[in-house]
Amino acid sequence: QKEVEQNSGPLSVPEGAIASLNCTYSDRGSQSFFWYRQYSGKSPELIMSIYSNGDKEDGRFTAQLNKASQYVSLLIRDSQPSDSATYLCAVNTGFQKLVFGTGTRLLVSP
Amino acid sequence: DTAVSQTPKYLVTQMGNDKSIKCEQNLGHDTMYWYKQDSKKFLKIMFSYNNKELIINETVPNRFSPKSPDKAHLNLHINSLELGDSAVYFCASSQDPDTRRDYGYTFGSGTRLTVV
């Protein structure tokens, strides 16, 4: 079982819709969780971090964490074509390293 | 000012050669990392250093040797390059993740290594 799992996509949504990206992780001791966005040919950039159960909102982005289900999600409201990218879920399992999922490719059509 | 800078951005070299990639961060972070991103875009940690001390070595072949002269620099030297080493290598830095659990990594722009 992979440590961090994501559906590779692509996830296609129309402009203005809500995009929902999901991630599961295997290590119950994981402490904090991150969502990164990576455009093609660019480096990952941090969008959100979350470490408490529940929702955390930042602008159009909402991260959701359920530690009992070992599940993290990212909602993007009012999706824009510029949101088209690969979204990487990352988990801090301790031991000073982030473990990344393989990413979900999001396509937002005008 | 670039927060995490890597050089070179592109590296094309022949099998068997030795090459180095340099990384510098000006964020005052304690911890630096090397990640490898393969053709399927999977990011996998290779090494981490905390204040010049090696913390993680993720079963990377010993042809790869990281060196951290100070906490702002982490270089990667690769001996006897192989075709399978072709990938994008990212340097990253963070505050000590054990004390700042909500603090993510800042990545450099990456070095695309092509071994021919």
Side-chain angles (χ1 to χ4, degrees):
Chain A
Q1 182 188 6
K2 289 182 185 172
E3 291 182 79
V4 180
E5 297 212 45
Q6 295 180 257
N7 188 319
S8 61
L11 173 65
S12 295
V13 300
E15 184 174 356
I18 295 175
S20 178
L21 302 158
N22 304 316
C23 171
T24 58
Y25 60 95
S26 60
D27 187 343
R28 284 197 171 273
S30 299
Q31 300 170 358
S32 49
F33 309 85
F34 304 84
W35 283 99
Y36 283 81
R37 176 175 62 199
Q38 187 174 24
Y39 293 111
S40 181
K42 300 295 185 182
S43 59
E45 56 177 322
L46 182 66
I47 301 175
M48 297 276 296
S49 64
I50 186 167
Y51 56 87
S52 298
N53 276 327
D55 295 0
K56 179 180 178 182
E57 188 174 317
D58 184 0
R60 296 187 297 114
F61 299 98
T62 298
Q64 299 174 317
L65 174 60
N66 183 326
K67 289 186 179 179
S69 301
Q70 295 174 243
Y71 177 88
V72 194
S73 65
L74 179 70
L75 300 178
I76 306 175
R77 287 182 299 282
D78 188 24
S79 294
Q80 301 297 309
S82 58
D83 294 327
S84 298
T86 297
Y87 289 79
L88 301 167
C89 174
V91 176
N92 183 347
T93 60
F95 313 110
Q96 299 210 6
K97 68 176 183 180
L98 281 188
V99 178
F100 285 82
T102 52
T104 297
R105 188 164 163 235
L106 174 66
L107 297 174
V108 181
S109 52
Chain B
D1 275 348
T2 304
V4 181
S5 59
Q6 284 179 240
T7 54
K9 192 168 175 63
Y10 299 97
L11 192 50
V12 181
T13 188
Q14 291 187 327
M15 280 175 53
N17 283 352
D18 303 338
K19 290 293 178 185
S20 292
I21 307 171
K22 295 187 175 183
C23 179
E24 176 181 3
Q25 56 96 2
N26 62 6
L27 297 166
H29 287 166
D30 297 310
T31 311
M32 296 185 72
Y33 312 83
W34 280 110
Y35 274 79
K36 178 180 179 180
Q37 189 168 46
D38 60 23
S39 57
K40 294 186 174 146
K41 308 300 182 188
F42 180 53
L43 261 175
K44 184 169 169 57
I45 191 167
M46 300 173 69
F47 302 102
S48 79
Y49 269 76
N50 186 302
N51 262 317
K52 303 192 297 176
E53 182 183 345
L54 178 66
I55 302 298
I56 291 174
N57 178 339
E58 280 290 293
T59 60
V60 178
N62 58 16
R63 297 183 296 105
F64 291 79
S65 51
K67 282 190 171 48
S68 181
D70 55 60
K71 77 171 194 176
H73 294 84
L74 180 61
N75 303 322
L76 184 65
H77 187 76
I78 315 170
N79 289 328
S80 304
L81 278 154
E82 301 177 356
L83 293 176
D85 297 331
S86 296
V88 180
Y89 292 83
F90 285 102
C91 177
S93 72
S94 74
Q95 292 189 5
D96 186 344
D98 288 341
T99 56
R100 286 294 309 274
R101 59 177 174 163
D102 59 331
Y103 203 87
Y105 294 4
T106 302
F107 282 85
S109 57
T111 296
R112 183 173 293 276
L113 172 66
T114 304
V115 183
V116 297

